[in-house]
Amino acid sequence: MIRIAQSNQRGNPLLKFIKCVPWEYDDIIPDYEIGKAISILFLSVRYHNLNPDYINNRLKELGKKYELRVLLVQVDLKDPHTALKNLTRICLLTDMTLMLAWSPEEAAKIVENYKIFENKPPDKIMEKVENDPHQKIVNALSSIKPVNKTDAMTLITRFSTLENIIKATESQLAECPGFGATKAKKLYKALHEPFLKKGNVSKDTLKKDEFAENICLEDIQNLETEIQSEEPK
Amino acid sequence: MEDKENEDLLQNIETKYPLLPFEKQIFIDIFEKDALVIIAKGLNYNTVVANLLWVHKDPSNLVLVLNSNDHEEKLFTEQFNLTVLPNTGAEREKAYLEGGVYFVSTRILVVDLLKNRVPVANVTGIVVLRAHTVLESCQEAFVLRLFRQNNKTGFIKAFSNSPISFTFGFHQVEKVMRALFVTELFLWPRFHGAIIKSLKSRQAEVVELHVRLTPNTSLIQACLLEIMNYTVKQLKSINRTLDMQEITSENCVTKKFHKILQSQLDCVWHQLSTRTKEYIQDLKVLRTMILNLIHDDSVSFYSLVNKYRTPEYAQVNSGWILLDSAETLFRLAKLRVFNTKSEFDPEPSPKWKCLCDLLLDEIPEEVKKNRNGSLANTKILILCNDNKSCSQLNHFLTMGESKYLFYTAFRKDLTINLVASKYKKLNKPLKIEEKCKTQKDLENTSELDEEDVLDEMNKSNYVLTLTQVATSDSKKSKSKSSEDSMFEPISQIENLDITQLETERPIICIQTFKQNGNHFSLGQTLETLRPEYIILYHSDVSAVRQIELFETKKKPEEPKSKVYFLIHDKTVEEQSYLTSLKREKQAFELLIQTKSVMVVPSYQDGKTDEYFNLNVEEEEDDSVDTRKAGGQAKRTKEKPAVIVDMREFRSDLPALLHKKGINIEPVTITIGDYILTPDICVERKSISDLIGSLNSGRLFAQCTQMCRNYSRPILLIEFDQNKPFNLQGSFVVSTDISGDNIQQKLQLLTIHFPRLKLVWSPSPYATAELFYELKQGKNNPNVEEALALSGDTTAEDHFERYNILVHDFVQKLPGVTSKNITRLMNRGISLDHLITLTQEQLQEIIENKNEAETLYSILHVKAQPADSDKKTFGKKKFTGKSYKFCK
């Protein structure tokens, strides 16, 4: 279910075209809420030109509440370039993802797609992989930087199972033809690091703070005034 | 009056290498002014360039020659004994300082200029060859900008002999001239008064021989043209928005067709539907057929056509094969090889007879008349289109007509049951040969055969001689001509010095117009061989002109050459010759027209600061000495700088950024294309690239890398500036597929990389502007850091929850999917831990029985033995194919 902000979006022509997914009106901060992680703000270039402050206030309200924040811009002017350039800069400063649509239909498609793909894995855009298990192991082993396909083959013939490769000591790895001390060291390190990073959580919060600093809302306001002063020229 | 003075002046000028009057004129023009010279095809500019380089070949000068192709480089390097630039930067720097003439590859020069390795202020000048490939977008233009910005006195001289290239696009000549910083344009079409006068002074004797096609051949030709028309119509109907003016069936038969297709479709290739691509593929097939029809013998044509008469081809083909004309085509092709009683009785190529007559009767008789009967040292040059025709003619002349046809049929694996009476005789010896061959190891012979054939295809000249001199009895030889070979090959040593050859018999040399794309090969052969008779087996504008030039440059005491022009009447061959003439003429007319109305601003030569002031955004405070500051280390820190991947120099963005006053750091980086600040990394994609890389999965990998290493990764989607920005919303060009798929994939990408920012740019110009704004007040990126990230040590990345190396490894294991990887990573602790678990415990983590089973077996069960490896590798290719068919 997509939740759509009642106050802002009622009467938006794109609503007519949302056909493939269910939706309801609700009182929410963004214009469209796809799920817990994705939100969309809608803006038409024409409207933005008339009310340049509007998007500012909306962005301020939205803050950083969702992981993916999309600014869906409908291009309905003949020459949208200056407006788009400003919007691009705003998006870069406020960490918004900019999507463009040229008609209400396209905009509705984009909203629908976000709902449909919300929880889909990225398989569709990843490299196609072989189905053969042996080929897969070779691929996996050769994805570790210094190891190439031949090395991977050597490892498999020598140790026969993945278990043995993992259990092998660094010096055993180094004995394989084609392996040197450095290559063995790197492979050994890769195979034996823990999955999770140490002190991950604390770093995460630190990182967020950094970002908060970077995106100062005053910046945006400065930008806006700058744009406004430019426009009369 | 003036004309006369001019002529006197021309005669008084002595040049190192002899020039014709019109060439002298070109030389004087270009010597005095910085200009672009466009010369008609075939009237090569190499002697003019040679003189120009000779004038400047001196250690006190530094002249750089740009954009030469390998053959040009080789020719001039040998002529002047030039040194080749060393490979390392430091050594190159020294070489530049030593002066002289250098042929430089543009990419190297860009980097050297940006790194201040070239003593720019001391460069005497730059010569640009093949100027039609220079455009604002290209690196050549960038080099010239960098050069002109810091050197106001050096010369820039540009040459081109492809007037047609200047007719594509809008205001192409003006653009090229602007990019070259030249103010003058000189045009030298074949119909220029001076050229006509020069070439008229001494003309070769020309005999045009019109050869009729056989009725079947002309019928086949009609069929093929009809099919082509149909295909072109279909192609246009599903791609209405695309500019396809140049794709017509008339152009299909010209030599440039591939080039035309490329120029029109390359930039939108991924945006076309598969159906469109099929049509284009079919046009190429039809084109090879029609060329084969005209140039090759009936047997090879039949075997070529047969290849397309299979059910497999019908599946991948766009549908022409179902047309009535296609059926007629197949029937007629067969009729040319087998007679009504389905006996093997191929019709010979009509030009062969003509050629035989010439070689055996006409020329010897003429020689007898003029030179008292001694055939010795008569040299005959036969010119044809490609290596294949060369080898065809060679075989035909050495083997004789019927034997050759039979041999071809044998080589092409045609099944022959019955043989017409006149081939019966031949049958026996060949049958024996055949038996011998089958006895040998089959695999071996086939491999060897292939090699032989390949060797043959690569050879582009043959030297033959007449064995039976037709002096005694021409009638007798004529009757024999069709059956027995009269010619025998002279030992084919590489780089055979023909002038040294002293034989009693006439020499026949068979050659292509261009040896492996070398434009000068014909000129060189003419110079060394100096043939008395030239037979043009095929027609080529450039070759005709080179022969004209050769004739005019001969010394007065030398005898005139006689040229025989063999052409099929009223066929695509004639048509394509005429079309290429017409296209060149039109191109020149257009250029003359443009020249007459062209406005060249006086600052275009870039010799004043005016030009650069117009383009470079000035920094308020240090505008006065930006120019000086360029080289100094202190100042550069303050100037905005951007790291650009070497491979990006193919696009116009680096040059445009430089125009904006941003310093460019050319470095080979593996992550991203541009690094603006320590956190901003940009991957640039044109629409076509975007679609291609979304489909191949490359973009996903690139984004993963960017997100791991930079806090602000940007995906820049750049539209084509020549297309309307709004129309491109649908991504695709062809109307029979939709862009939804791409839109979805792009959205999926944003879902998985929420930090990835999208930037939509209507043109490189807008991108440059945006980059400029993003740079304001930001730090410059650090080259060392960027390089370190490109190496194998993936630096401290704070943006991932997991250790990447092991994550990527586990991700690729069978049984691990994008769905269960998170669970596995969170709960699995490490690989050491995973291998201690039982299958049930794994199942608990993964929450799926099948996947747990696969993963367990991969960890503990021995992987397939090594000998099955080869099978899997072999299979890989096939599975790919069968998968396609399944779809």
Side-chain angles (χ1 to χ4, degrees):
Chain A
M1 190 74 87
I2 305 178
R3 298 202 290 159
I4 297 179
Q6 200 161 357
S7 48
N8 286 315
Q9 293 302 306
R10 197 179 275 277
N12 189 338
L14 84 80
L15 295 183
K16 280 202 298 246
F17 299 104
I18 300 185
K19 286 170 185 159
C20 304
V21 289
W23 56 273
E24 64 180 13
Y25 284 125
D26 203 345
D27 284 322
I28 47 168
I29 301 169
D31 292 338
Y32 300 85
E33 189 196 82
I34 305 295
K36 280 199 182 114
I38 307 176
S39 67
I40 300 177
L41 283 183
F42 178 85
L43 183 67
S44 107
V45 178
R46 194 189 294 264
Y47 187 81
H48 176 69
N49 270 356
L50 296 172
N51 305 292
D53 282 335
Y54 164 80
I55 195 67
N56 256 341
N57 299 332
R58 294 302 306 278
L59 287 172
K60 227 185 274 176
E61 261 181 323
L62 183 64
K64 317 234 103 199
K65 288 194 188 73
Y66 299 82
E67 198 188 339
L68 175 64
R69 298 173 300 278
V70 177
L71 181 65
L72 177 56
V73 172
Q74 188 184 327
V75 183
D76 46 6
L77 278 183
K78 268 230 168 110
D79 186 33
H81 299 319
T82 18
L84 274 184
K85 202 174 73 188
N86 292 328
L87 285 171
T88 307
R89 281 177 70 188
I90 293 172
C91 283
L92 289 177
L93 284 170
T94 55
D95 251 343
M96 299 286 294
T97 301
L98 183 66
M99 288 301 285
L100 299 188
W102 275 265
S103 65
E105 289 98 314
E106 272 183 45
K109 254 266 128 51
I110 290 174
V111 174
E112 279 179 1
N113 283 341
Y114 270 118
K115 185 68 196 169
I116 296 168
F117 287 101
E118 189 186 0
N119 295 313
K120 287 266 163 65
D123 296 348
K124 245 177 123 178
I125 47 172
M126 277 164 78
E127 220 178 319
K128 312 278 174 296
V129 276
E130 297 288 325
N131 269 328
D132 175 44
H134 179 258
Q135 199 64 41
K136 271 192 160 180
I137 300 188
V138 172
N139 270 344
L141 281 171
S142 54
S143 77
I144 298 169
K145 246 306 167 40
V147 181
N148 59 32
K149 284 237 155 87
T150 333
D151 297 335
M153 299 277 205
T154 324
L155 285 173
I156 294 166
T157 38
R158 191 174 175 113
F159 295 102
S160 74
T161 70
L162 206 53
E163 184 184 359
N164 292 342
I165 297 178
I166 295 166
K167 277 182 184 163
T169 62
E170 209 177 303
S171 53
Q172 272 177 316
L173 289 177
E175 277 166 23
C176 289
F179 276 74
T182 31
K183 208 184 246 188
K185 196 174 175 186
K186 277 180 181 159
L187 176 63
Y188 188 83
K189 184 175 168 270
L191 290 178
H192 295 274
E193 358 175 76
F195 290 166
L196 286 178
K197 269 191 181 169
K198 277 176 205 156
N200 219 327
V201 190
S202 60
K203 248 185 191 170
D204 252 4
T205 49
L206 249 175
K207 191 176 76 191
K208 263 179 194 158
D209 287 346
E210 271 171 42
F211 273 95
E213 256 180 357
N214 264 341
I215 312 136
C216 186
L217 278 173
E218 278 154 37
D219 261 0
I220 309 166
Q221 271 154 3
N222 286 343
L223 201 82
E224 283 303 318
T225 47
E226 201 180 293
I227 292 160
Q228 273 166 348
S229 61
E230 266 173 30
E231 247 149 46
K233 279 189 231 166
Chain B
M1 257 324 263
E2 222 174 75
D3 272 1
K4 209 168 183 201
E5 262 176 46
N6 208 358
E7 256 168 51
D8 287 344
L9 189 83
L10 284 179
Q11 274 175 1
N12 290 335
I13 290 175
E14 289 276 324
T15 48
K16 168 83 177 162
Y17 304 99
L19 292 176
L20 293 175
F22 81 90
E23 287 177 321
K24 260 183 201 167
Q25 185 64 49
I26 298 176
F27 176 69
I28 292 164
D29 285 346
I30 194 86
F31 189 74
E32 282 169 354
K33 287 175 186 136
D34 285 4
L36 167 64
V37 181
I38 304 176
I39 307 177
K41 206 151 231 138
L43 305 172
N44 288 339
Y45 50 64
N46 52 342
T47 34
V48 179
V49 175
N51 275 308
L52 194 66
L53 292 183
W54 183 76
V55 170
H56 291 104
K57 193 181 172 286
D58 186 82
S60 64
N61 290 326
L62 174 56
V63 175
L64 303 169
V65 185
L66 278 186
N67 209 16
S68 56
N69 62 22
D70 292 349
H71 302 297
E72 286 166 336
E73 186 172 340
K74 202 172 150 233
L75 180 84
F76 289 120
T77 315
E78 276 168 11
Q79 194 167 4
F80 292 109
N81 204 6
L82 297 178
T83 43
V84 184
L85 273 180
N87 285 326
T88 60
E91 280 175 53
R92 268 205 306 277
E93 194 171 349
K94 219 188 275 167
Y96 290 132
L97 286 172
E98 276 164 12
V101 177
Y102 289 105
F103 279 77
V104 208
S105 88
T106 323
R107 229 183 69 142
I108 288 175
L109 192 56
V110 170
V111 176
D112 283 351
L113 280 168
L114 287 171
K115 299 214 158 169
N116 280 324
R117 285 196 196 118
V118 187
V120 188
N122 300 326
V123 174
T124 320
I126 293 182
V127 176
V128 184
L129 302 181
R130 299 189 299 139
H132 47 277
T133 57
V134 174
L135 244 196
E136 201 166 3
S137 55
C138 286
Q139 296 179 17
E140 285 77 28
F142 192 23
V143 164
L144 294 172
R145 255 189 73 78
L146 289 169
F147 165 70
R148 198 37 111 203
Q149 207 165 8
N150 296 305
N151 183 327
K152 304 289 176 203
T153 50
F155 65 77
I156 296 177
K157 303 188 189 302
F159 295 87
S160 165
N161 57 2
S162 172
I164 294 169
S165 310
F166 291 97
T167 56
F168 298 124
F170 184 66
H171 282 315
Q172 192 78 352
V173 208
E174 284 96 323
K175 277 192 211 157
V176 170
M177 284 175 66
R178 214 177 305 138
L180 289 168
F181 293 100
V182 296
T183 46
E184 289 278 349
L185 172 67
F186 295 115
L187 300 171
W188 289 91
R190 173 65 179 79
F191 53 80
H192 190 290
I195 295 185
I196 293 179
K197 203 174 158 203
S198 291
L199 294 183
K200 267 236 173 99
S201 63
R202 190 193 160 113
Q203 278 172 311
E205 201 179 321
V206 180
V207 181
E208 272 189 49
L209 294 168
H210 292 272
V211 184
R212 278 290 174 96
L213 279 181
T214 59
N216 278 344
T217 318
S218 42
L219 278 177
I220 293 179
Q221 180 187 306
C223 287
L224 279 170
L225 284 176
E226 201 181 313
I227 300 172
M228 271 184 165
N229 268 330
Y230 162 80
T231 315
V232 168
K233 223 184 263 168
Q234 290 291 321
L235 184 65
K236 283 186 175 165
S237 74
I238 58 167
N239 295 289
R240 284 181 194 286
T241 53
L242 204 61
D243 171 32
M244 289 213 261
Q245 240 181 2
E246 292 291 331
I247 302 174
T248 58
S249 37
E250 191 188 343
N251 280 339
C252 278
V253 291
T254 66
K255 266 193 282 172
K256 292 253 167 146
F257 184 63
H258 284 271
K259 227 180 245 174
I260 295 171
L261 268 186
Q262 217 172 14
S263 74
Q264 299 235 319
L265 298 177
D266 241 16
C267 50
V268 292
W269 186 249
H270 288 291
Q271 289 158 265
L272 300 174
S273 64
T274 34
R275 188 136 194 88
T276 311
K277 288 179 194 167
E278 274 169 19
Y279 280 129
I280 291 164
Q281 198 49 48
D282 284 350
L283 272 183
K284 285 186 187 159
V285 167
L286 291 167
R287 193 184 109 92
T288 43
M289 275 195 195
I290 210 160
L291 291 181
N292 192 293
L293 174 75
I294 302 291
H295 297 325
D296 234 339
D297 52 280
S298 51
V299 179
S300 350
F301 182 71
Y302 176 63
S303 83
L304 176 80
V305 168
N306 255 357
K307 259 194 247 162
Y308 297 104
R309 216 193 170 175
T310 54
E312 287 82 21
Y313 183 72
Q315 275 183 346
V316 293
N317 149 275
S318 65
W320 64 264
I321 226 154
L322 306 171
L323 296 178
D324 285 347
S325 335
E327 202 43 53
T328 333
L329 164 74
F330 291 131
R331 194 170 47 80
L332 288 171
K334 195 173 176 189
L335 260 185
R336 286 178 70 203
V337 181
F338 297 96
N339 62 16
T340 40
K341 284 176 268 170
S342 74
E343 290 172 334
F344 181 72
D345 185 14
E347 61 176 43
S349 181
K351 273 191 189 176
W352 288 351
K353 189 168 175 298
C354 206
L355 185 68
C356 264
D357 285 351
L358 277 181
L359 289 177
L360 295 173
D361 296 333
E362 263 202 67
I363 294 177
E365 259 167 46
E366 267 226 28
V367 172
K368 220 160 45 173
K369 227 188 286 164
N370 297 345
R371 264 159 263 172
N372 312 323
S374 89
L375 256 179
N377 284 328
T378 309
K379 283 164 243 153
I380 305 170
L381 180 65
I382 304 177
L383 290 171
C384 51
N385 234 348
D386 47 7
N387 297 347
K388 224 168 110 193
S389 328
C390 266
S391 97
Q392 177 204 350
L393 283 183
N394 176 41
H395 283 300
F396 160 68
L397 290 175
T398 49
M399 287 174 156
E401 180 184 296
S402 30
K403 199 173 168 198
Y404 169 68
L405 285 171
F406 202 79
Y407 167 73
T408 329
F410 179 68
R411 221 180 49 190
K412 304 258 175 182
D413 286 337
L414 286 188
T415 41
I416 300 161
N417 300 324
L418 288 166
V419 180
S421 54
K422 69 171 167 174
Y423 291 90
K424 289 257 163 71
K425 197 172 59 185
L426 280 168
N427 212 354
K428 279 175 204 159
L430 274 170
K431 276 273 164 66
I432 297 162
E433 254 177 66
E434 200 174 349
K435 269 182 194 164
C436 290
K437 266 195 181 170
T438 43
Q439 278 167 0
K440 281 181 202 165
D441 187 7
L442 265 175
E443 273 187 28
N444 252 339
T445 46
S446 69
E447 262 172 40
L448 276 176
D449 263 6
E450 261 168 41
E451 262 171 40
D452 268 0
V453 172
L454 273 180
D455 259 7
E456 218 132 75
M457 289 301 157
N458 288 333
K459 209 181 261 175
S460 52
N461 63 346
Y462 299 87
V463 183
L464 303 174
T465 179
L466 262 176
T467 45
Q468 288 188 338
V469 185
T471 42
S472 52
D473 188 359
S474 64
K475 265 190 187 171
K476 192 179 152 198
S477 68
K478 198 180 173 188
S479 63
K480 272 189 162 186
S481 70
S482 60
E483 291 305 322
D484 280 328
S485 53
M486 323 273 308
F487 306 92
E488 91 184 0
I490 292 180
S491 56
Q492 290 159 354
I493 313 156
E494 280 298 310
N495 300 326
L496 190 72
D497 193 357
I498 299 158
T499 45
Q500 299 289 310
L501 258 170
E502 287 291 335
T503 45
E504 289 300 301
R505 306 179 197 130
I507 298 165
I508 300 165
C509 187
I510 308 175
Q511 227 198 9
T512 50
F513 295 132
K514 293 179 214 167
Q515 269 176 35
N516 313 320
N518 183 352
H519 287 279
F520 307 125
S521 68
L522 178 58
Q524 281 166 344
T525 323
L526 286 174
E527 280 302 313
T528 47
L529 187 67
R530 311 198 81 82
E532 286 89 3
Y533 295 94
I534 300 169
I535 300 173
L536 283 163
Y537 191 72
H538 295 138
S539 48
D540 181 81
V541 180
S542 154
V544 171
R545 289 184 183 150
Q546 285 183 54
I547 294 168
E548 279 179 326
L549 265 187
F550 163 70
E551 185 63 34
T552 338
K553 284 190 178 176
K554 268 187 182 174
K555 286 188 198 97
E557 68 269 16
E558 265 184 286
K560 269 187 185 176
S561 301
K562 192 161 182 183
V563 179
Y564 294 94
F565 209 124
L566 283 183
I567 194 156
H568 282 304
D569 228 357
K570 289 177 196 131
T571 58
V572 286
E573 187 188 29
E574 194 184 12
Q575 185 58 43
S576 80
Y577 179 71
L578 293 178
T579 309
S580 49
L581 270 182
K582 192 180 82 189
R583 277 166 60 93
E584 198 197 62
K585 189 162 164 260
Q586 280 171 347
F588 266 120
E589 277 164 359
L590 184 92
L591 286 173
I592 292 168
Q593 165 76 22
T594 325
K595 192 186 170 183
S596 66
V597 294
M598 193 161 51
V599 180
V600 182
S602 60
Y603 56 76
Q604 188 168 298
D605 58 7
K607 288 186 178 170
T608 51
D609 275 347
E610 204 181 343
Y611 179 83
F612 292 98
N613 290 347
L614 278 175
N615 288 283
V616 180
E617 316 256 300
E618 290 296 342
E619 264 111 298
E620 309 77 49
D621 47 351
D622 54 8
S623 61
V624 191
D625 50 16
T626 30
R627 203 125 297 112
K628 268 191 194 164
Q632 261 100 57
K634 272 186 188 171
R635 282 284 182 173
T636 41
K637 265 190 183 169
E638 283 149 22
K639 243 190 143 188
V642 167
I643 295 179
V644 180
D645 185 25
M646 285 299 196
R647 282 156 287 194
E648 268 297 299
F649 279 98
R650 260 176 243 135
S651 77
D652 27 5
L653 195 49
L656 292 173
L657 283 175
H658 190 264
K659 256 189 188 175
K660 281 260 160 206
I662 297 174
N663 271 356
I664 307 282
E665 292 276 357
V667 174
T668 311
I669 46 177
T670 49
I671 304 166
D673 293 330
Y674 297 85
I675 297 169
L676 301 187
T677 72
D679 345 299
I680 300 182
C681 171
V682 182
E683 177 71 40
R684 192 186 68 97
K685 292 270 179 241
S686 68
I687 295 290
S688 179
D689 280 349
L690 178 76
I691 296 172
S693 59
L694 267 176
N695 286 336
S696 72
R698 207 175 68 240
L699 188 58
F700 186 86
Q702 284 170 332
C703 289
T704 320
Q705 286 291 331
M706 279 207 293
C707 289
R708 277 176 184 170
N709 294 296
Y710 291 92
S711 63
R712 283 154 188 275
I714 292 177
L715 173 63
L716 169 70
I717 300 171
E718 199 169 81
F719 290 80
D720 186 352
Q721 52 181 319
N722 299 322
K723 303 270 165 60
F725 185 52
N726 52 349
L727 270 182
Q728 294 279 330
S730 52
F731 288 114
V732 283
V733 175
S734 309
T735 44
D736 54 341
I737 53 166
S738 81
D740 285 355
N741 189 11
I742 292 308
Q743 176 78 38
Q744 285 168 3
K745 283 185 175 171
L746 189 62
Q747 283 181 266
L748 194 60
L749 190 76
T750 62
I751 292 174
H752 288 278
F753 299 98
R755 275 195 303 113
L756 181 74
K757 297 290 152 291
L758 298 188
V759 170
W760 306 75
S761 169
S763 69
Y765 295 91
T767 316
E769 211 155 287
L770 184 79
F771 278 12
Y772 180 74
E773 284 175 21
L774 289 176
K775 281 297 296 177
Q776 290 274 249
K778 290 276 161 53
N779 288 334
N780 283 337
N782 188 330
V783 179
E784 281 79 39
E785 264 174 37
L787 273 178
L789 288 180
S790 304
D792 48 8
T793 48
T794 321
E796 314 293 299
D797 38 274
H798 335 277
F799 314 113
E800 289 276 330
R801 254 171 84 73
Y802 316 110
N803 279 315
I804 325 164
L805 284 176
V806 75
H807 174 270
D808 284 357
F809 176 70
V810 174
Q811 195 180 30
K812 289 209 163 127
L813 291 180
V816 180
T817 65
S818 43
K819 277 181 197 153
N820 61 29
I821 179 90
T822 349
R823 284 195 286 273
L824 195 65
M825 284 273 128
N826 286 339
R827 301 185 206 163
I829 308 173
S830 74
L831 273 176
D832 295 304
H833 178 65
L834 274 192
I835 54 172
T836 61
L837 299 177
T838 63
Q839 192 172 327
E840 286 70 37
Q841 282 168 313
L842 270 180
Q843 195 178 322
E844 261 171 50
I845 294 179
I846 294 181
E847 295 170 10
N848 178 317
K849 195 178 167 212
N850 287 337
E851 286 163 3
E853 200 183 310
T854 336
L855 182 59
Y856 184 83
S857 70
I858 215 70
L859 286 175
H860 299 284
V861 177
K862 195 178 170 192
Q864 287 130 315
D867 55 284
S868 72
D869 288 352
K870 275 176 197 163
K871 271 185 204 162
T872 53
F873 269 106
K875 235 195 256 165
K876 210 170 132 190
K877 283 175 197 161
F878 289 110
T879 48
K881 256 186 196 166
S882 61
Y883 181 62
K884 251 187 214 160
F885 283 121
C886 289
K887 270 205 276 189

